[in-house]
Amino acid sequence: MKLRFIRSVCWSFLLFCLAWNVRAEPPLSSRPEQERAAPPGEGDDKPVVIDTERIRGHHEYESGARNESELRSRSTISTDQIKKPNQKASPTAKDAPSGPQQNYTLSPAIKTGSRTSTSAQESEKTESMVLPSGMERLPEPVAEEGEPRLRTTTRAAPRSLSAEKRGEKSVRAAAAAEADEGRPGFAEGERIGGHREEAGEARLRLAGEAEPEGVEQKLAEVEAETDKQPPVFVVADRLQGHVEQEIEAIGKAELSTGDQFISAERMKYNQSTNDAEAQGNVRVEKEGDILEGSNLKFNLLSKTGQLSEPNYRLKDASSRGYAGMLLFEGENQYRLQKANYTTCPAGDDSWVLQVADLKLDNDKKVGTAKNVKLTFKDVPIMYTPWMNFSYSGERKSGLLAPTYSTSGRTGLELALPFYWNIAPNYDATFSARMMSKRGLAINNEFRFLGRNSSSSLLADIVPRDLDTETTRWRTSFWHNHYLGAGFSARLDYNRVSDDAYFRHFGNNLNLTSRTNLLQQGLLSYNRGLGDDGTFNVTSLVQSFQTIQDPLAAIVVPYKRLPQVGLNANKPDVLGTGVDVNLLGSWTNFSHPTLVSGRRIVLFPSMSYPLRNSFGFITPKVGMHYTRYSLGEDAGSPDETPTRTLPIFSLDSGIAFDRKTSLGGESFTQTLEPRIFYVYVPFRAQDQLPNFDSAKTDFSFAQMLSENRFSGSDRINDANQVTFALTTRLLESSTGRERLRVAVGHQLSFIDRRISLDTPQTVDRRPDFIAAVSGFLTPTISTDTSLQFDQTRLLADVVRSGVSYRPEPGRVLNFGYRFTRDVLHQVDASSQWRWSERWQTVARLNYSLLDHRILEGLAGVEYNACCWSLRFVLQHLTLATQKSTTAAFLQLELNGLMQIGSNPLTVLQRSIPGYIRTGSQGSSLIEGP
């Protein structure tokens, strides 16, 4: 019996020992075949070496890792070993095998699926904190016998203080580390407790006394300081290092901090100093920018360090370069030594900007460079010892790229502009323009933009014209100002030193053909009349500088000193449906050679519009009253003549529409007939002065108006009806108008007796008009109108334009303009891309009446991958019947600058549909 009892005890003891070993260590078959761990030393400060292959299966961060065996199938450095080097291992941990420990950094999956008690979270926060001086932590209770040290099946790994506060940023950083499965990893800033802590386990003592006041505040400060340090993730084929000192990553090493990623063949990371060193194929990625070099030294907190022999590519993938050394000098502060920059693709150095020392402030987006040299096709084309620039597109003071050109009137030109960014809302540009035939010109421009005002000033001066031996100048100023309470003001002042200024210094028809330069001051008041009415009072003084052509003199306009105008409109007065309108003005006209005088105009009118969903009828009646006060030199027996004319009109229209299809497309076609009748009795007006009236061109707008004269000095006699018919094709899906065809006919029941014959007026009486505008096909568009006199069976006015645009960068335009006895011109222009690199531009505006070229233009453009070259010749006829020729040559370095005279403005004005082609292959950029 005794022997049987002893045998039972021995077997029980043996089974207990076996059970203990099984509990403490998983089966060897569950461990990777090639996993090797260094034997545990007596001290925790020995290096821990892990060498393992990638293991397929669940990531330890994933919620699918449900048991301890799965967690142990991953090889990482345990954060317990790193963060607690001096902590004695519990009996359970001591007996555990020396295999690799697990990194239990909290992942989004575990955080979502786990449930941790409030007491456990609070105790874990206390576990992670750096305690204030004089405080100690109570020892943790020893784990019960047989209880696993890490119980991931019962609770999720708790987060550190920084992780608790860091929120989504830490979660995203952890998720980035999880993406690389099966590789050893290290996450700083995360730790776990040995086992579940009960409420009240972590208590603070101060010399064995009660917890003093203010400890929570100190802990909060420590916690806030911890939150400033973002988590650091290190992943590599092999990790080794000293606990709490340094981690060394070997083979495909990667370090990430959320906003920055570093990879290399070999990397060291010091946890206490946050210094990182990388060697071999170093790659740094931050906010889309990529840096590559041989050796990197970088501090993650101060953002200081250096990268040897860096190559860089900016995030827009269009800029690259290299340097001898890149210095990190703080957050978003960089310095490059012996740096090169280009927007050309790799292997193509058509142009290179070389800088001995370049400092970049990425916060302000400004750079400072020393000893800058620009080479194009290995030929130096620019050098400056110092430059300061902005690379964000924002305005910055400094020299602009020089421009040069040649012209028959001015000779060779070179302009050196300087831009002054005075404040965010106003700036100035000064330019010295040197001309071989005219001398030196100073061009100045000032711009201002305020909350309630804006202004612009141009001031050009030629101190001494080499040709005329005189001082020449030009000024142009305008200012808008909203004064508040409905008041606003505007000033305009334009003047040149002589009549030939624009012909000598202008480079386009818009300048050389200018005749009257406006000079005026205006003050207006606007307010509402009820809910839908308007009331406006305007006061102005106005005069002009008239630029005379010796071969084609014109009449100088009247000055208005001053003019006060009134315009009031009130729809649906008193709910009667009647609309009331009042136009009035008082003007003092002054002229050096013609009759001067004052004029009062009053034109009240009433209309009763009748509208529904498909049509309208609007009868209108008004009374036009005019009174003059003329001087003794008027040459008229009546110094105060008056004129009173009743005006009646009836406007009506109907709109029909239907669904139709054309060429497989669905359209809505409209049919819009309109009838307009006007009656104005005859009043003799030969004895009245003409201050501001002129005959308007015959058009659809003029056909449907009550007076065919502008101004108020002449009111036509009329008893006529106008018939108009318009049809439109509208795209059913978008409502966009594709094509419009309109015809109109004016039938007069009387012979017109009021005329306005001046030396500049030709008597024409067309009564039929037709117009076509829109797209005839997807690539061919037209805008054509014809005015026809049926009594004489003659076409009085023809305006026609046809454009062919098969694709961007390819356009052909043809125009024809004819006005009987006045104008007869043809106009053809083209921009045509022959290949991805070559294109030509041309324009010819020819007068068939004068048998001469008014404007001719021809040019060629070459677009490489990162630069463009444009050459344009322009022939221009001046107002004096003399011509000039100008040449434009421009080199554009994509992403850097434009060198030479800019022909783009000339091309866009001369060639309808011109599109500026970019420097990146076939990419297209709309011109300014």
Side-chain angles (χ1 to χ4, degrees):
M1 180 66 67
K2 182 178 181 180
L3 179 62
R4 185 177 300 173
F5 174 78
I6 294 174
R7 184 180 300 171
S8 300
V9 171
C10 292
W11 279 109
S12 299
F13 182 80
L14 179 61
L15 292 174
F16 177 80
C17 292
L18 291 175
W20 178 268
N21 291 332
V22 172
R23 186 76 169 184
E25 182 177 13
L28 294 176
S29 59
S30 65
R31 301 176 64 183
E33 294 180 2
Q34 299 187 20
E35 181 181 17
R36 302 192 307 274
E42 296 179 358
D44 290 334
D45 57 345
K46 297 295 182 66
V48 179
V49 181
I50 299 174
D51 186 6
T52 181
E53 64 175 0
R54 297 196 178 188
I55 300 175
R56 305 294 180 183
H58 289 294
H59 197 286
E60 62 180 307
Y61 298 164
E62 297 179 357
S63 58
R66 294 182 293 274
N67 54 59
E68 187 174 335
S69 297
E70 286 187 57
L71 291 175
R72 292 183 180 179
S73 64
R74 297 294 311 280
S75 297
T76 61
I77 291 181
S78 170
T79 54
D80 287 330
Q81 292 178 335
I82 295 171
K83 293 294 184 179
K84 306 176 185 178
N86 300 321
Q87 180 178 339
K88 296 290 177 103
S90 65
T92 305
K94 184 176 181 180
D95 296 335
S98 59
Q101 302 298 311
Q102 302 302 313
N103 180 2
Y104 288 86
T105 304
L106 182 64
S107 70
I110 291 180
K111 187 179 83 170
T112 305
S114 64
R115 292 174 298 180
T116 306
S117 65
T118 305
S119 60
Q121 292 177 357
E122 292 174 352
S123 63
E124 188 248 334
K125 285 185 179 181
T126 308
E127 171 75 11
S128 304
M129 293 179 187
V130 179
L131 302 182
S133 177
M135 297 185 181
E136 63 178 355
R137 191 186 309 277
L138 286 179
E140 300 175 355
V142 179
E144 296 180 4
E145 181 180 354
E147 180 182 3
R149 180 63 173 171
L150 303 176
R151 300 195 301 180
T152 59
T153 58
T154 60
R155 64 185 286 263
R159 298 196 295 178
S160 68
L161 289 174
S162 60
E164 291 284 350
K165 297 294 184 180
R166 206 166 286 121
E168 295 182 359
K169 185 174 181 181
S170 291
V171 172
R172 289 194 298 267
E178 296 170 35
D180 197 346
E181 294 191 10
R183 301 180 66 190
F186 164 74
E188 183 188 20
E190 308 280 356
R191 70 174 69 195
I192 70 171
H195 58 277
R196 178 180 297 180
E197 297 174 335
E198 301 297 333
E201 275 187 344
R203 296 188 299 272
L204 298 177
R205 289 183 177 178
L206 184 60
E209 298 180 359
E211 179 180 335
E213 296 182 1
V215 171
E216 293 184 358
Q217 181 179 357
K218 294 181 180 180
L219 292 177
E221 295 175 357
V222 173
E223 184 176 342
E225 184 68 23
T226 305
D227 288 341
K228 295 180 181 180
Q229 302 180 6
V232 178
F233 297 91
V234 178
V235 180
D237 291 339
R238 181 183 177 190
L239 294 176
Q240 66 183 25
H242 291 77
V243 177
E244 277 293 344
Q245 295 181 16
E246 188 175 77
I247 295 295
E248 184 173 5
I250 303 173
K252 299 180 180 178
E254 297 176 356
L255 182 148
S256 61
T257 60
D259 62 339
Q260 187 167 264
F261 175 82
I262 303 174
S263 65
E265 290 298 324
R266 192 181 187 96
M267 189 182 304
K268 291 182 180 181
Y269 171 59
N270 192 306
Q271 303 165 61
S272 59
T273 63
N274 281 283
D275 288 329
E277 296 184 16
Q279 296 177 351
N281 297 325
V282 179
R283 180 184 177 96
V284 181
E285 298 181 17
K286 184 176 182 181
E287 299 178 354
D289 297 334
I290 299 175
L291 302 172
E292 296 177 340
S294 57
N295 295 283
L296 171 69
K297 293 181 180 180
F298 189 70
N299 186 276
L300 300 180
L301 290 183
S302 64
K303 306 296 183 183
T304 58
Q306 64 182 33
L307 177 62
S308 301
E309 300 176 353
N311 291 293
Y312 61 87
R313 296 191 301 275
L314 303 185
K315 59 185 176 181
D316 58 3
S318 63
S319 304
R320 65 175 182 88
Y322 56 90
M325 181 68 69
L326 171 61
L327 302 178
F328 302 92
E329 299 184 340
E331 185 71 28
N332 293 323
Q333 305 294 318
Y334 309 98
R335 180 186 292 271
L336 291 92
Q337 297 175 349
K338 298 181 180 179
N340 288 0
Y341 170 84
T342 184
T343 58
C344 298
D348 182 3
D349 292 336
S350 295
W351 69 265
V352 176
L353 185 67
Q354 301 175 351
V355 183
D357 185 85
L358 174 62
K359 186 175 182 180
L360 300 176
D361 186 339
N362 214 29
D363 290 329
K364 299 180 180 179
K365 303 295 183 182
V366 297
T368 303
K370 297 179 181 179
N371 295 329
V372 182
K373 182 174 69 173
L374 177 63
T375 60
F376 177 71
K377 295 297 182 180
D378 297 327
V379 177
I381 60 176
M382 188 187 75
Y383 172 81
T384 177
W386 180 90
M387 67 182 298
N388 186 267
F389 59 92
S390 170
Y391 54 91
S392 63
E394 298 181 356
R395 298 177 293 127
K396 181 173 177 57
S397 300
L399 290 171
L400 303 179
T403 63
Y404 54 87
S405 62
T406 180
S407 170
R409 292 285 177 180
T410 59
L412 292 175
E413 295 187 24
L414 174 63
L416 300 175
F418 176 81
Y419 176 76
W420 184 16
N421 184 27
I422 306 173
N425 62 327
Y426 53 97
D427 58 11
T429 304
F430 309 98
S431 178
R433 179 184 176 190
M434 291 165 282
M435 300 167 285
S436 61
K437 293 185 178 181
R438 297 287 177 179
L440 176 65
I442 305 298
N443 306 121
N444 307 282
E445 180 183 10
F446 174 83
R447 300 183 302 176
F448 170 80
L449 179 62
R451 183 180 299 273
N452 298 317
S453 60
S454 60
S455 59
S456 174
L457 171 65
L458 293 176
D460 303 337
I461 184 171
V462 182
R464 181 175 176 272
D465 189 333
L466 300 179
D467 186 30
T468 62
E469 299 292 334
T470 59
T471 299
R472 321 267 309 265
W473 53 268
R474 170 208 179 189
T475 183
S476 177
F477 172 77
W478 62 263
H479 178 78
N480 284 323
H481 203 118
Y482 176 69
L483 304 175
F487 287 92
S488 60
R490 178 178 176 88
L491 292 175
D492 290 275
Y493 185 80
N494 300 272
R495 193 166 185 85
V496 293
S497 58
D498 53 86
D499 291 340
Y501 182 89
F502 288 124
R503 293 193 292 271
H504 290 167
F505 299 101
N507 57 4
N508 58 71
L509 280 175
N510 289 341
L511 289 177
T512 59
S513 60
R514 296 185 66 176
T515 55
N516 292 306
L517 304 183
L518 177 64
Q519 302 168 358
Q520 75 171 11
L522 180 145
L523 178 66
S524 65
Y525 173 74
N526 294 273
R527 58 159 296 173
L529 278 180
D531 296 334
D532 50 2
T534 59
F535 180 81
N536 171 258
V537 177
T538 302
S539 175
L540 68 85
V541 291
Q542 183 186 81
S543 65
F544 297 89
Q545 180 189 10
T546 301
I547 300 176
Q548 295 287 0
D549 185 345
L551 301 180
I554 60 175
V555 178
V556 177
Y558 275 89
K559 297 179 181 179
R560 305 180 187 219
L561 305 172
Q563 173 178 290
V564 179
L566 170 66
N567 185 0
N569 179 62
K570 178 61 177 175
D572 193 17
V573 175
L574 301 177
T576 60
V578 176
D579 296 347
V580 177
N581 186 71
L582 173 63
L583 292 175
S585 66
W586 178 88
T587 310
N588 179 26
F589 293 96
S590 175
H591 199 278
T593 58
L594 301 178
V595 176
S596 299
R598 293 174 293 277
R599 185 189 68 193
I600 297 176
V601 175
L602 292 175
F603 182 31
S605 64
M606 293 188 302
S607 61
Y608 188 72
L610 303 172
R611 303 184 183 93
N612 59 20
S613 59
F614 59 86
F616 69 93
I617 298 176
T618 305
K620 178 182 177 182
V621 61
M623 185 69 67
H624 196 285
Y625 172 80
T626 311
R627 177 184 177 85
Y628 294 89
S629 178
L630 307 177
E632 297 179 356
D633 57 347
S636 174
D638 188 359
E639 295 183 0
T640 58
T642 61
R643 180 191 59 200
T644 304
L645 281 173
I647 299 176
F648 172 78
S649 66
L650 179 65
D651 193 7
S652 62
I654 303 177
F656 304 95
D657 64 82
R658 65 166 186 167
K659 301 294 183 181
T660 186
S661 61
L662 185 64
E665 294 187 68
S666 178
F667 293 95
T668 298
Q669 181 185 8
T670 67
L671 190 65
E672 306 167 31
R674 188 171 177 180
I675 300 176
F676 179 76
Y677 173 78
V678 60
Y679 173 77
V680 182
F682 170 78
R683 294 289 186 272
Q685 303 173 39
D686 296 340
Q687 301 301 318
L688 300 179
N690 181 17
F691 295 138
D692 61 359
S693 285
K695 189 174 182 180
T696 59
D697 291 334
F698 187 70
S699 63
F700 278 101
Q702 192 271 325
M703 289 176 64
L704 301 173
S705 63
E706 298 163 344
N707 188 16
R708 68 177 189 273
F709 301 107
S710 63
S712 300
D713 292 314
R714 293 294 182 269
I715 305 297
N716 61 202
D717 54 332
N719 185 9
Q720 63 194 29
V721 61
T722 300
F723 301 92
L725 181 64
T726 302
T727 180
R728 297 184 295 160
L729 281 179
L730 307 177
E731 295 179 357
S732 299
S733 58
T734 64
R736 173 174 171 262
E737 182 177 297
R738 179 73 67 86
L739 184 67
R740 176 195 293 254
V741 179
V743 293
H745 175 63
Q746 192 173 75
L747 178 62
S748 179
F749 301 109
I750 61 173
D751 293 330
R752 298 170 181 167
R753 301 169 61 183
I754 302 298
S755 62
L756 186 60
D757 297 328
T758 64
Q760 292 83 25
T761 302
V762 176
D763 186 24
R764 290 185 300 274
R765 295 184 179 181
D767 51 14
F768 177 83
I769 187 172
V772 178
S773 63
F775 286 88
L776 303 178
T777 71
T779 59
I780 300 177
S781 62
T782 185
D783 188 359
T784 301
S785 64
L786 169 68
Q787 300 177 21
F788 193 78
D789 187 350
Q790 296 185 89
T791 59
R792 297 181 295 170
L793 298 178
L794 293 175
D796 277 342
V797 179
V798 178
R799 298 285 187 272
S800 179
V802 179
S803 180
Y804 172 62
R805 303 181 187 183
E807 63 182 44
R810 292 185 175 182
V811 56
L812 292 174
N813 303 305
F814 179 78
Y816 178 77
R817 293 185 291 272
F818 171 78
T819 302
R820 184 168 298 279
D821 301 328
V822 175
L823 183 71
H824 197 189
Q825 297 177 3
V826 292
D827 194 346
S829 60
S830 170
Q831 176 194 13
W832 202 260
R833 297 176 63 237
W834 302 98
S835 66
E836 292 295 323
R837 295 179 179 268
W838 289 96
Q839 78 167 357
T840 56
V841 292
R843 185 196 179 187
L844 178 64
N845 185 4
Y846 187 79
S847 174
L848 298 173
L849 192 65
D850 300 324
H851 302 288
R852 63 183 304 165
I853 297 175
L854 300 179
E855 183 178 8
L857 183 146
V860 62
E861 180 174 337
Y862 178 80
N863 290 311
C865 58
C866 55
W867 59 275
S868 298
L869 184 65
R870 304 179 182 95
F871 177 72
V872 176
L873 280 175
Q874 182 188 31
H875 179 82
L876 193 64
T877 297
L878 304 177
T880 56
Q881 302 301 314
K882 295 182 180 181
S883 61
T884 183
T885 302
F888 302 87
L889 178 64
Q890 183 185 60
L891 173 64
E892 179 179 357
L893 305 180
N894 185 41
L896 184 66
M897 65 174 60
Q898 296 175 345
I899 303 173
S901 54
N902 186 4
L904 295 177
T905 303
V906 175
L907 295 175
Q908 291 161 4
R909 185 189 64 251
S910 302
I911 304 175
Y914 174 86
I915 293 179
R916 175 185 173 186
T917 55
S919 301
Q920 296 294 330
S922 61
S923 62
L924 298 172
I925 304 172
E926 290 288 348

mmCIF file of all heavy atoms in Angstrom, residues 847-860:
data_model
loop_
_atom_site.group_PDB
_atom_site.id
_atom_site.type_symbol
_atom_site.label_atom_id
_atom_site.label_comp_id
_atom_site.label_asym_id
_atom_site.label_seq_id
_atom_site.Cartn_x
_atom_site.Cartn_y
_atom_site.Cartn_z
ATOM 1 N N SER A 847 -6.762 95.239 -96.757
ATOM 2 C CA SER A 847 -7.799 96.171 -97.184
ATOM 3 C C SER A 847 -7.915 96.136 -98.700
ATOM 4 O O SER A 847 -6.974 96.532 -99.420
ATOM 5 C CB SER A 847 -7.477 97.585 -96.703
ATOM 6 O OG SER A 847 -8.405 98.511 -97.224
ATOM 7 N N LEU A 848 -9.041 95.653 -99.191
ATOM 8 C CA LEU A 848 -9.290 95.634 -100.645
ATOM 9 C C LEU A 848 -9.597 97.026 -101.173
ATOM 10 O O LEU A 848 -9.405 97.288 -102.366
ATOM 11 C CB LEU A 848 -10.461 94.692 -100.954
ATOM 12 C CG LEU A 848 -10.251 93.218 -100.571
ATOM 13 C CD1 LEU A 848 -11.541 92.429 -100.779
ATOM 14 C CD2 LEU A 848 -9.120 92.611 -101.380
ATOM 15 N N LEU A 849 -10.025 97.909 -100.263
ATOM 16 C CA LEU A 849 -10.333 99.273 -100.683
ATOM 17 C C LEU A 849 -9.062 100.092 -100.847
ATOM 18 O O LEU A 849 -8.931 100.877 -101.791
ATOM 19 C CB LEU A 849 -11.256 99.921 -99.656
ATOM 20 C CG LEU A 849 -11.927 101.242 -100.051
ATOM 21 C CD1 LEU A 849 -12.886 101.032 -101.218
ATOM 22 C CD2 LEU A 849 -12.670 101.840 -98.864
ATOM 23 N N ASP A 850 -8.080 99.906 -99.948
ATOM 24 C CA ASP A 850 -6.827 100.663 -100.018
ATOM 25 C C ASP A 850 -5.699 99.888 -100.671
ATOM 26 O O ASP A 850 -4.608 100.451 -100.877
ATOM 27 C CB ASP A 850 -6.392 101.064 -98.607
ATOM 28 C CG ASP A 850 -7.430 101.922 -97.922
ATOM 29 O OD1 ASP A 850 -8.070 102.734 -98.604
ATOM 30 O OD2 ASP A 850 -7.617 101.756 -96.698
ATOM 31 N N HIS A 851 -5.914 98.593 -100.923
ATOM 32 C CA HIS A 851 -4.900 97.739 -101.548
ATOM 33 C C HIS A 851 -3.595 97.730 -100.734
ATOM 34 O O HIS A 851 -2.512 97.939 -101.253
ATOM 35 C CB HIS A 851 -4.615 98.194 -102.986
ATOM 36 C CG HIS A 851 -5.821 98.207 -103.862
ATOM 37 N ND1 HIS A 851 -6.439 97.067 -104.328
ATOM 38 C CD2 HIS A 851 -6.544 99.256 -104.350
ATOM 39 C CE1 HIS A 851 -7.469 97.388 -105.077
ATOM 40 N NE2 HIS A 851 -7.571 98.725 -105.107
ATOM 41 N N ARG A 852 -3.735 97.444 -99.431
ATOM 42 C CA ARG A 852 -2.555 97.386 -98.586
ATOM 43 C C ARG A 852 -2.815 96.472 -97.397
ATOM 44 O O ARG A 852 -3.967 96.218 -97.013
ATOM 45 C CB ARG A 852 -2.135 98.765 -98.108
ATOM 46 C CG ARG A 852 -3.143 99.464 -97.233
ATOM 47 C CD ARG A 852 -2.673 100.863 -96.850
ATOM 48 N NE ARG A 852 -1.367 100.817 -96.210
ATOM 49 C CZ ARG A 852 -0.607 101.895 -96.044
ATOM 50 N NH1 ARG A 852 -1.010 103.075 -96.507
ATOM 51 N NH2 ARG A 852 0.550 101.793 -95.437
ATOM 52 N N ILE A 853 -1.736 95.990 -96.809
ATOM 53 C CA ILE A 853 -1.812 95.131 -95.627
ATOM 54 C C ILE A 853 -1.972 96.014 -94.394
ATOM 55 O O ILE A 853 -1.138 96.887 -94.132
ATOM 56 C CB ILE A 853 -0.558 94.252 -95.501
ATOM 57 C CG1 ILE A 853 -0.447 93.300 -96.690
ATOM 58 C CG2 ILE A 853 -0.588 93.459 -94.195
ATOM 59 C CD1 ILE A 853 0.824 92.477 -96.693
ATOM 60 N N LEU A 854 -3.033 95.776 -93.642
ATOM 61 C CA LEU A 854 -3.239 96.524 -92.416
ATOM 62 C C LEU A 854 -2.455 95.901 -91.260
ATOM 63 O O LEU A 854 -1.876 96.617 -90.445
ATOM 64 C CB LEU A 854 -4.727 96.562 -92.071
ATOM 65 C CG LEU A 854 -5.630 97.222 -93.124
ATOM 66 C CD1 LEU A 854 -7.079 97.178 -92.670
ATOM 67 C CD2 LEU A 854 -5.182 98.643 -93.413
ATOM 68 N N GLU A 855 -2.469 94.589 -91.197
ATOM 69 C CA GLU A 855 -1.686 93.883 -90.181
ATOM 70 C C GLU A 855 -1.301 92.515 -90.716
ATOM 71 O O GLU A 855 -2.144 91.764 -91.213
ATOM 72 C CB GLU A 855 -2.458 93.730 -88.873
ATOM 73 C CG GLU A 855 -1.642 93.055 -87.773
ATOM 74 C CD GLU A 855 -2.383 92.940 -86.451
ATOM 75 O OE1 GLU A 855 -3.591 93.252 -86.426
ATOM 76 O OE2 GLU A 855 -1.753 92.532 -85.458
ATOM 77 N N GLY A 856 -0.035 92.212 -90.634
ATOM 78 C CA GLY A 856 0.455 90.903 -91.027
ATOM 79 C C GLY A 856 1.289 90.305 -89.911
ATOM 80 O O GLY A 856 2.019 91.018 -89.209
ATOM 81 N N LEU A 857 1.174 88.996 -89.746
ATOM 82 C CA LEU A 857 1.875 88.341 -88.653
ATOM 83 C C LEU A 857 2.242 86.929 -89.075
ATOM 84 O O LEU A 857 1.435 86.219 -89.696
ATOM 85 C CB LEU A 857 0.988 88.319 -87.403
ATOM 86 C CG LEU A 857 1.538 87.735 -86.105
ATOM 87 C CD1 LEU A 857 0.966 88.506 -84.912
ATOM 88 C CD2 LEU A 857 1.180 86.277 -85.973
ATOM 89 N N ALA A 858 3.458 86.529 -88.752
ATOM 90 C CA ALA A 858 3.912 85.173 -89.046
ATOM 91 C C ALA A 858 4.886 84.765 -87.969
ATOM 92 O O ALA A 858 5.716 85.564 -87.523
ATOM 93 C CB ALA A 858 4.560 85.089 -90.421
ATOM 94 N N GLY A 859 4.777 83.510 -87.539
ATOM 95 C CA GLY A 859 5.664 83.051 -86.479
ATOM 96 C C GLY A 859 5.733 81.540 -86.432
ATOM 97 O O GLY A 859 4.920 80.827 -87.018
ATOM 98 N N VAL A 860 6.732 81.072 -85.706
ATOM 99 C CA VAL A 860 6.941 79.643 -85.510
ATOM 100 C C VAL A 860 7.243 79.417 -84.038
ATOM 101 O O VAL A 860 7.859 80.264 -83.375
ATOM 102 C CB VAL A 860 8.080 79.117 -86.409
ATOM 103 C CG1 VAL A 860 9.394 79.787 -86.067
ATOM 104 C CG2 VAL A 860 8.201 77.605 -86.317
#
